[in-house]
């Protein structure tokens, strides 16, 4: 009966609880719940003493303990729930009940703090007595709830609550209060206000001085870790974090303007020395501390409910990991039992019960609970009788199993019919009771009985053995040799007992072929029952190997194997190494890959630089690399260039896959050997010589510290002047010299240089120094007003041949000359139109000539007033009357305002609807006749016309 039940299994265990001392709840509960059959009983312990549950202060609901009116002096401590039934006892994990509090700040006034502007300041929080130590800190400014915003200059440490100001400013003046919150007991308090009074001072600078210094920190694996670092100084120091001699953890995040380093989900490899560096231009400061990573215990292997036979042995593995390494101890039915490994010999009923394996280190404790049941029973075949019919192949081997349930383990004997069987050359009885017979013949057929007996009783079970014909492969697969892409056939025919079903299984190198997944390449003959022929289509290199055909029935099987050799292009070479790196050559060595049954005839070396994603065939010495070689020299490389190399093998069947790329290397440097091209120049501003060239691309730099040497001299002189241009991207140099005559012929040449030497000079080019700006003034400048927003300007050209164009400046009288608008035209133009002018406005206009050296003197300034604006009122169309083949359109007269141009007449546009082009009429009347449209709708637009331009439009559709 007892075996149907089980011992207690925890479903809920007590957890650490903080009870606020000021709580109005009046009670606290510790939870405990377990399932068990029969139903368990519960007890509780406080600091290892049994709790008297008969007292009114305590009540129980199931396994839950309720403490009424808890008091710190008698209720604080470690609680354990103990659960029992007839199968044994288990103890819960320990849970601590503690009492949380946060006292108010003392009532004494805080002293005022006077600080010179530019100097750093620290306002102390000095939090009151509290438990637990999980406070968060903020600071109030002048009144609640105005909290100060944190930035690069201000920081609140969550370690001690202090407010740090890197350098005090006049705006920091005010009253400050430290606001402290305890999330565990949901309570906040704030201190008396501290007046901060900045003292004005001539701003001085102070070096970085770290005041918030993180300490050596012990963290638990998987936790989040916060390190704080903040410095005073003026200007505000920059903060940088690093890990000594190692990269920062991937999960590290820096926040609070650099003052906080957070490492999320910390791992063992994150352990190490961390450094915070603060720096401003006045000085720097450093701080280092170590982060240690440890771990609470965690199960690697733990115990589970186990049934063991009476008299047998037990080894119960229980292994935990952690740092420091956890100790292991055992409880049996809630009482201390053993330490370390648990081994028990010759188990008896007294060993049954509830066992707990406990792993413990300084960071925590974990429990694994399991029930050990001891079983004793006479042999019985009820659950596992012998097979009634056992088949065995002729000449083969059979094992007849005998597996009764019994405890302790029974002794076994066998009989065939009435004959008792003993171990012989063909018959063997195994320890577990199984009977083995080899080289089976017809005579072995018959009834076999297994007898099992132990000290509690005996039992037997019988089955009949029948012989079948053996399965044999009659046509075995043969070795096949093919080339990649061809088809191959593996034959396999077998004979078998006709009463049994036969199946064929094919495997390659020991792995069974999945014909559904591999249907593209593998197919088998299913037409003839005893034929297992395999067809391999479009053979690839990966299909090579040993193929095994297994013909099997439910009784026996037979196998035969053959090899498929696949010839194809070579595999990739391996172990590529770059040696003897020079400026234009490197030595390569490699190891040959597989030749795939066709000798390697040659190797090709390819190279790649950052200039292109393409691999290109490299020039080598020898130029033809034969298949038996494993080294060569790559030549004609670019000096000081990063290269990767790879090698491809070829045989008569094709070219193989390339090797993995080599490690990236950089060739040695060399002096440049290419001169810059397109050397020229000229033009530019007055007293300048502008020299230009095409910068050399990176591949021609050949070394570090690359730049250009520019040489120039006036035509006919012997001495060359030289200047150095250090920026490799620049292709221009401007030489300024106040004594340089304009439009003078110079010879120039340019060469490249690097840290290895100079390259050749370019061809010498002839250029001219900058010409002078024009000195003549354009004449006959005239301005004509066209409307309220347009005017045209014309002028006579000056005689200077170097003129590239003319500039027209114009500005309104009420604007400054510096704000003048500018229009530039080429030296082919004699006039231009100015647009978008303001109506009825006086403008100043002048004209000057310019060339590449600058602008000449302006012409005399001409003043001119634009026309008044056109009428803003649009015509009101009052009628549209059809008269035979014409429409008569009539509108009201438009009256101009005092600041608008007088109406001179009307413009009428007659156009098809949807088009912009049409027929334009002008009239001085208020009416017009237009033809009736021959097809579709037409639009008639009417607008007033004045010397200031055209007014707003009115329209009608006809």
């Amino acid at each position: 009966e007892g075996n149907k039940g089980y011992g207690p299994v925890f479903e809920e265990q007590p957890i650490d609880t903080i009870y606020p001392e000021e709580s109005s709840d009046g009670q606290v509960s510790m939870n405990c719940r377990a399932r068990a059959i029969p139903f368990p009983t519960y007890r509780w312990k406080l600091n290892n003493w049994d709790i008297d549950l008969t007292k009114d202060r305590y009540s129980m609901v199931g396994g839950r303990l309720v403490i009424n009116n808890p008091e710190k002096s008698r209720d604080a401590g470690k609680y354990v729930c103990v659960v029992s039934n007839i199968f044994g006892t288990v103890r819960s994990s320990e849970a601590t009940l503690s009492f949380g509090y946060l006292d108010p700040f003392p009532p004494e006034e805080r002293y005022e703090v006077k600080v010179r502007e530019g100097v750093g300041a620290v306002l102390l929080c000095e939090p009151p007595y509290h438990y637990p130590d999980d406070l968060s800190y903020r600071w109030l400014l002048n009144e609640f709830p105005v909290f100060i915003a944190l930035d690069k200059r201000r920081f609140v440490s969550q370690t001690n609550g202090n407010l740090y100001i890197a350098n005090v400013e006049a705006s920091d003046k005010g009253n400050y209060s430290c606001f402290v919150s305890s999330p565990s007991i949901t309570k906040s308090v704030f201190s008396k206000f501290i007046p901060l009074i900045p003292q004005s001072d001539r701003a001085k600078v102070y070096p970085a001085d770290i005041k918030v210094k993180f300490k050596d920190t012990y963290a638990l694996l998987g936790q989040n870790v916060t390190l704080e670092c903040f410095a005073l100084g003026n200007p505000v120091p920059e903060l940088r974090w690093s890990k000594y001699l190692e990269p920062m953890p991937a999960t590290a995040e820096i926040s609070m303007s650099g003052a906080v380093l957070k490492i999320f989900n910390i791992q063992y490899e994150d352990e190490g020395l961390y450094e915070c560096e603060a720096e401003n231009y006045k000085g720097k400061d450093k701080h280092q501390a170590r982060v240690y990573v440890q771990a609470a215990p965690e199960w690697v292997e733990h115990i589970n409910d186990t049934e063991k036979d009476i008299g047998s042995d037990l080894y119960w593995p229980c292994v935990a990991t952690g740092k420091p390494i956890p100790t292991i101890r055992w409880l049996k039915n809630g009482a201390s039992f053993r330490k370390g490994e648990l081994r028990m010999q010759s188990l008896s009923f007294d060993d049954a019960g509830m066992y707990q394996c406990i792993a413990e280190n300084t960071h925590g404790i974990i429990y694994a609970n399991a029930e050990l049941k001891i079983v004793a029973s006479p042999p019985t075949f009820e659950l596992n009788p012998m097979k009634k019919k056992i088949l065995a192949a002729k000449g083969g081997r059979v094992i007849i199993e005998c597996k009764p349930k019994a405890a302790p383990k029974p002794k076994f004997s066998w009989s065939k019919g009435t004959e008792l069987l003993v171990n012989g050359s063909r018959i063997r009885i195994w320890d577990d009771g199984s009977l083995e017979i080899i080289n089976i013949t017809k005579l072995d057929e018959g009834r076999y009985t297994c007898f099992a007996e132990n000290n509690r009783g005996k039992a037997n079970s019988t089955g009949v053995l029948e012989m079948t014909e053996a399965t044999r492969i009659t046509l075995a697969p043969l070795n096949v040799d093919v080339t990649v892409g061809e088809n191959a056939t593996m034959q396999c025919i077998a004979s078998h007992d006709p009463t049994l079903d036969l199946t064929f299984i094919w495997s390659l190198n020991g792995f069974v072929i999945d014909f559904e997944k591999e249907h593209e390449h593998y197919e088998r003959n299913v037409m003839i029952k005893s034929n297992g022929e395999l067809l391999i289509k479009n053979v690839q290199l990966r299909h090579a190997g040993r193929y095994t055909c297994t013909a099997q029935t439910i009784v026996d099987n037979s196998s035969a194997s053959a090899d498929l050799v696949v010839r194809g292009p070579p595999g990739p070479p391996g172990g590529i190494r770059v040696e003897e790196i020079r400026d234009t050559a490197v030595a390569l060595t490699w190891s040959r890959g597989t030749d795939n049954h066709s000798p390697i005839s040659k190797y090709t070396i390819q190279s790649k630089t950052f200039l292109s994603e393409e691999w290109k065939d490299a020039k080598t010495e020898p130029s033809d690399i034969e298949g038996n070689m494993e080294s060569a020299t790559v030549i004609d490389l670019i000096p000081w260039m990063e290269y990767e190399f790879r090698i491809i093998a070829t045989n008569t069947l094709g070219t193989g896959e390339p090797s993995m790329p080599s490690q990236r290397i950089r060739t040695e440097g060399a002096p440049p050997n290419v001169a810059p091209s397109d050397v020229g120049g000229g033009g530019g501003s007055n007293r300048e010589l502008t020299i230009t060239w095409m910068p050399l691309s990176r591949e021609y730099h050949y070394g570090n510290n690359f730049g250009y040497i520019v040489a120039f001299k006036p035509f006919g002189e012997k001495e060359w002047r030289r200047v150095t241009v250090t920026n490799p991207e620049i292709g221009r140099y401007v030489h300024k010299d106040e004594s340089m005559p304009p439009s003078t012929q110079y010879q120039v040449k340019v060469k490249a240089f690097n840290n290895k030497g100079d390259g050749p000079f370019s061809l010498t080019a002839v250029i001219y120094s900058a010409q002078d700006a024009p000195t003549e003034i354009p004449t006959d400048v005239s301005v004509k007003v066209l409307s309220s927003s347009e005017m045209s300007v014309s002028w006579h050209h000056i005689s200077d041949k170097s003129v590239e164009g003319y500039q027209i400046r114009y500005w309104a009288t009420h604007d400054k000359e510096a704000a003048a608008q500018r229009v530039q035209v080429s030296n082919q133009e004699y006039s231009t139109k100015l647009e978008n002018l303001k109506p009825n406005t006086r403008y100043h206009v002048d004209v000057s000539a310019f060339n590449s050296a600058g602008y000449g003197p302006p012409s005399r300034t001409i003043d001119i007033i634009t026309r008044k604006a056109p009428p803003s009122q649009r015509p009101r169309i009052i009628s549209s009357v059809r008269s035979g083949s014409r429409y008569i359109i009539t509108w009201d007269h438009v009256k101009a305002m005092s600041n608008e141009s007088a109406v001179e007449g009307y413009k009428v546009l007659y156009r098809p609807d949807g088009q912009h082009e049409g027929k334009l009429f002008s009239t001085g009347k208020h009416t017009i006749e237009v033809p009736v449209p021959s097809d579709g709708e037409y639009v008639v637009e009417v607008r007033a016309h004045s010397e200031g331009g055209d007014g707003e439009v009115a329209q009608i559709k006809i």
Side-chain angles (χ1 to χ4, degrees):
E1 273 303 299
N3 272 353
K4 289 176 184 168
Y6 55 87
V9 178
F10 280 114
E11 291 186 325
E12 188 176 10
Q13 299 191 53
I15 56 170
D16 291 344
T17 303
I18 296 170
Y19 180 77
E21 286 186 4
E22 299 171 16
S23 173
S24 57
D25 289 352
Q27 61 173 223
V28 65
S29 59
M30 306 292 273
N31 291 343
C32 181
R33 186 160 46 87
R35 55 184 162 82
I37 296 176
F39 196 77
T41 60
Y42 294 89
R43 289 183 294 128
W44 281 89
K45 286 177 176 283
L46 169 57
N47 298 330
N48 262 339
W49 293 88
D50 282 335
I51 291 176
D52 184 356
L53 297 170
T54 61
K55 289 184 179 174
D56 289 345
R57 296 188 58 252
Y58 301 109
S59 55
M60 290 269 286
V61 182
R64 182 160 67 107
L65 173 67
V66 180
I67 306 165
N68 297 305
N69 301 317
E71 292 176 18
K72 183 175 179 178
S73 57
R74 56 182 177 181
D75 294 319
K78 292 185 174 175
Y79 286 76
V80 172
C81 170
V82 182
V83 191
S84 307
N85 75 356
I86 57 169
F87 291 105
T89 301
V90 285
R91 285 169 66 108
S92 72
S93 50
E94 283 182 350
T96 303
L97 174 62
S98 47
F99 287 73
Y101 61 94
L102 174 59
D103 287 353
F105 276 93
E108 291 83 34
E109 294 296 328
R110 295 281 191 113
Y111 294 114
E112 68 183 18
V113 177
K114 292 182 178 177
V115 187
R116 291 200 317 280
E117 287 176 19
V119 176
V122 183
L123 300 187
L124 303 181
C125 179
E126 296 176 334
Y129 291 117
H130 58 274
Y131 181 85
D133 197 12
D134 62 348
L135 302 183
S136 67
Y137 301 92
R138 291 188 287 172
W139 280 75
L140 295 167
L141 179 59
N142 296 328
E143 60 181 345
F144 184 85
V146 180
F147 292 101
I148 68 160
L150 303 181
D151 49 29
K152 275 181 84 164
R153 204 170 58 83
R154 297 181 292 193
F155 177 69
V156 175
S157 169
Q158 296 303 312
T159 308
N160 57 24
N162 294 345
L163 169 63
Y164 296 83
I165 303 175
N167 52 62
V168 170
E169 296 175 354
S171 60
D172 293 325
K173 183 175 180 176
N175 296 312
Y176 291 77
S177 168
C178 181
F179 186 87
V180 180
S181 301
S182 170
S184 299
I185 62 170
T186 58
K187 182 182 176 183
S188 300
V189 293
F190 55 88
S191 71
K192 288 284 186 181
F193 281 92
I194 305 168
L196 175 63
I197 304 165
Q199 310 281 294
S200 62
D201 193 4
R202 201 165 50 77
K204 291 182 181 173
V205 292
Y206 299 97
D209 178 15
I210 295 177
K211 287 294 183 195
V212 180
K213 300 180 177 182
F214 59 99
K215 297 185 173 70
D216 282 354
T217 303
Y218 284 84
L220 289 186
L221 188 72
Q223 274 187 345
N224 300 338
V225 175
T226 302
L227 306 179
E228 293 182 337
C229 176
F230 190 75
L232 310 186
N234 190 24
V236 178
E238 290 290 328
L239 296 167
R240 286 188 295 275
W241 290 87
S242 60
K243 188 179 180 194
Y244 184 63
L245 296 180
E246 289 181 79
M248 287 280 271
T251 59
E253 269 184 23
I254 294 167
S255 58
M256 303 298 285
S257 303
V260 172
L261 171 69
K262 237 184 182 169
I263 306 168
F264 294 91
N265 187 22
I266 197 162
Q267 300 298 305
Y268 288 127
E269 59 266 24
D270 300 333
E271 188 171 274
L273 193 62
Y274 286 80
E275 180 177 280
C276 166
E277 183 180 78
E279 183 176 14
N280 61 14
Y281 72 79
K282 190 71 176 160
K284 66 165 74 169
D285 193 10
K286 282 185 184 178
H287 170 69
Q288 288 182 333
R290 192 166 283 280
V291 174
Y292 299 91
V293 181
Q294 301 203 324
E298 198 174 314
W299 290 121
V300 175
E301 187 176 8
H302 62 77
I303 57 174
N304 292 300
D305 290 347
T306 301
E307 273 191 10
K308 296 294 283 184
D309 289 351
I310 193 165
S312 64
D313 298 339
L314 170 70
Y315 166 55
W316 235 348
C318 188
V319 184
T321 181
K323 191 175 177 183
I325 294 168
T327 58
I328 301 287
R329 61 189 172 91
W330 295 80
L331 303 181
K332 179 186 174 188
N333 293 327
S336 188
F337 184 58
R338 287 195 191 166
K339 288 184 178 174
E341 200 174 66
L342 184 64
R343 290 181 185 272
M344 298 163 74
Q345 275 87 30
S346 302
L347 293 171
S348 69
F349 286 123
D350 291 341
D351 296 317
M354 301 301 299
Y355 286 79
Q356 291 178 278
C357 173
I358 301 170
E360 194 172 6
N361 70 6
T362 50
H363 301 300
I365 180 167
I366 52 175
Y367 293 72
N369 305 346
E371 182 179 0
L372 175 62
K373 284 190 171 172
I374 305 299
V375 183
S377 71
T380 173
F381 285 94
E382 268 180 39
L383 297 174
N384 200 9
M386 249 171 77
K387 282 186 184 173
K388 294 290 173 235
K389 185 177 178 183
I390 302 120
L391 299 176
K394 182 180 179 182
R397 160 180 180 266
V398 70
I399 293 168
I400 307 172
E401 288 186 338
C402 177
K403 292 193 174 173
K405 185 181 177 191
K409 183 181 166 185
K411 289 182 176 165
F412 296 98
S413 57
W414 282 84
S415 69
K416 180 189 172 194
T418 57
E419 177 194 353
L420 195 63
L421 299 176
V422 292
N423 287 344
S425 58
R426 286 197 316 112
I427 293 176
R428 194 160 80 87
I429 301 169
W430 290 8
D431 275 354
D432 69 354
S434 300
L435 175 68
E436 179 187 25
I437 308 171
I438 59 172
N439 297 333
I440 284 170
T441 66
K442 193 76 175 164
L443 295 173
D444 292 320
E445 290 186 329
R447 289 168 62 80
Y448 286 80
T449 303
C450 171
F451 298 92
E453 183 177 356
N454 67 9
N455 58 8
R456 296 190 168 252
K458 57 174 85 171
N460 63 66
S461 186
T462 300
V464 176
L465 178 68
E466 290 182 9
M467 191 192 78
T468 62
E469 286 299 319
T471 304
R472 284 199 170 70
I473 289 181
T474 54
L475 192 59
L478 301 172
N479 293 343
V480 183
D481 191 326
V482 293
T483 301
V484 167
E486 294 179 348
N487 295 345
T489 302
M490 291 274 189
Q491 61 186 20
C492 186
I493 295 177
S495 65
H496 66 292
D497 192 295
T499 63
L500 303 173
D501 286 333
L502 178 70
T503 56
F504 287 93
I505 294 168
W506 281 93
S507 61
L508 169 58
N509 298 328
F511 294 96
V512 174
I513 294 168
D514 184 332
F515 283 89
E516 272 189 30
K517 266 192 193 168
E518 300 271 355
H519 65 275
E520 278 184 39
H521 293 286
Y522 291 112
E523 200 179 281
R524 57 181 161 188
N525 189 337
V526 289
M527 302 303 290
I528 306 163
K529 218 174 181 186
S530 58
N531 188 348
E533 183 179 79
L534 171 69
L535 173 64
I536 309 164
K537 301 174 287 185
N538 185 18
V539 172
Q540 301 301 306
L541 290 168
R542 66 177 186 274
H543 297 136
R546 169 147 287 221
Y547 283 80
T548 301
C549 170
T550 303
Q552 72 175 27
T553 65
I554 57 167
V555 178
D556 67 338
N557 63 58
S558 179
S559 296
S561 300
D563 292 321
L564 174 65
V565 173
V566 181
R567 300 181 188 276
I576 180 167
R577 289 205 315 278
V578 187
E579 298 165 344
E580 297 173 36
I581 299 167
R582 300 193 290 278
D583 56 355
T584 59
V586 297
L588 290 188
T589 61
W590 61 90
S591 54
R592 58 190 287 119
T594 55
D595 63 8
N596 291 324
H597 309 288
S598 177
I600 295 170
S601 55
K602 69 164 187 169
Y603 288 102
T604 306
I605 297 177
Q606 294 186 324
S607 67
K608 187 173 82 164
T609 68
F610 75 89
L611 299 171
S612 165
E613 281 302 303
E614 262 182 71
W615 288 92
K616 294 176 181 167
D617 288 358
K619 207 168 176 186
T620 59
E621 211 169 73
S623 55
D624 294 325
I625 306 168
E626 293 179 3
N628 59 357
M629 293 174 67
E630 292 188 9
S631 65
T633 301
V634 183
I635 58 171
D636 288 0
L637 298 176
I638 300 170
W640 201 66
M641 179 61 71
E642 288 188 345
Y643 278 97
E644 288 177 281
F645 299 96
R646 69 180 189 184
I647 302 174
I648 302 171
T650 302
N651 62 16
T652 53
L653 298 175
T655 297
E657 291 288 311
S659 68
M660 292 288 287
S662 70
Q663 200 173 354
R664 188 174 293 168
I665 62 99
R666 177 181 277 169
T667 50
E668 290 289 318
N673 67 0
V674 175
S677 60
D678 294 347
V679 175
S685 299
N686 211 354
R687 307 286 180 250
E688 285 182 355
L689 178 67
T690 302
I691 303 164
T692 59
W693 62 93
M694 180 65 73
L696 290 174
S697 59
R698 164 68 183 83
E699 61 199 285
Y700 297 113
H701 288 191
Y702 287 11
N704 217 341
N705 303 333
F706 180 84
Y708 302 98
I709 293 169
V710 182
F712 57 94
K713 66 183 181 71
F715 207 83
E717 281 191 20
K718 285 188 177 177
E719 285 296 314
W720 289 86
R721 290 191 63 177
R722 294 182 177 218
V723 290
T724 301
V725 177
T726 55
N727 186 338
E729 311 297 326
I730 284 180
R732 187 168 186 269
Y733 171 70
V734 178
H735 178 66
K736 288 182 166 53
D737 185 351
E738 289 305 317
S739 63
M740 187 187 298
S743 302
T744 304
Q745 202 177 48
Y746 274 81
Q747 288 177 296
V748 296
K749 57 185 179 179
V750 184
K751 68 177 175 180
F753 72 89
N754 62 20
N755 59 340
K756 295 289 184 180
D758 295 356
F761 267 117
S762 67
L763 295 171
T764 302
V766 175
I767 63 171
Y768 289 85
S769 60
Q771 54 211 356
D772 272 341
T775 54
E776 285 181 62
I777 295 169
T779 57
D780 289 352
V781 176
S782 74
V783 181
K784 184 180 175 188
V785 173
L786 302 178
S787 70
S788 64
S789 62
E790 295 175 327
M791 61 175 81
S792 73
V793 184
S794 61
W795 60 91
H796 276 178
H797 283 191
I798 66 171
S799 58
D800 190 338
K801 294 285 188 290
S802 73
V803 170
E804 292 176 10
Y806 291 87
Q807 176 176 270
I808 298 89
R809 294 193 309 157
Y810 59 99
W811 65 99
T813 309
H814 57 264
D815 289 338
K816 291 182 178 169
E817 185 178 343
Q821 303 267 59
R822 291 169 165 77
V823 174
Q824 291 185 343
V825 296
S826 76
N827 60 6
Q828 306 295 313
E829 305 290 336
Y830 288 84
S831 65
T832 190
K833 189 196 277 189
L834 306 181
E835 297 176 318
N836 299 322
L837 304 174
K838 292 175 183 166
N840 199 23
T841 302
R842 182 183 293 275
Y843 278 90
H844 305 302
V845 183
D846 66 23
V847 182
S848 57
F850 67 84
N851 63 16
S852 61
Y855 295 95
S859 68
R860 68 181 178 84
T861 303
I862 294 177
D863 286 7
I864 195 156
I865 299 172
T866 52
R867 306 254 194 267
K868 287 182 180 180
S872 55
Q873 182 194 339
R874 58 165 54 92
R876 189 168 72 87
I877 298 173
I878 52 177
S879 71
S880 163
V881 180
R882 180 169 177 170
S883 173
S885 64
R886 304 186 75 71
Y887 267 102
I888 301 165
I889 315 286
T890 311
W891 57 90
D892 278 346
H893 178 55
V894 173
K895 214 168 177 189
M897 313 275 280
S898 61
N899 63 345
E900 294 176 342
S901 299
V903 176
E904 295 177 348
Y906 296 91
K907 285 184 179 177
V908 180
L909 180 65
Y910 174 68
R911 62 178 174 80
D913 190 16
Q915 292 183 25
H916 296 299
E917 300 293 318
K919 193 169 182 185
L920 187 65
F921 302 92
S922 287
T923 177
K925 300 177 186 174
H926 307 160
T927 179
I928 197 163
E929 289 186 11
V930 293
V932 173
S934 55
D935 183 28
E937 281 192 313
Y938 267 59
V939 175
V940 178
E941 292 182 356
V942 182
R943 66 180 85 205
H945 174 64
S946 71
E947 66 172 8
D950 295 338
E952 293 291 315
V953 69
Q955 65 177 36
I956 188 169
K957 286 186 181 177
I958 62 171

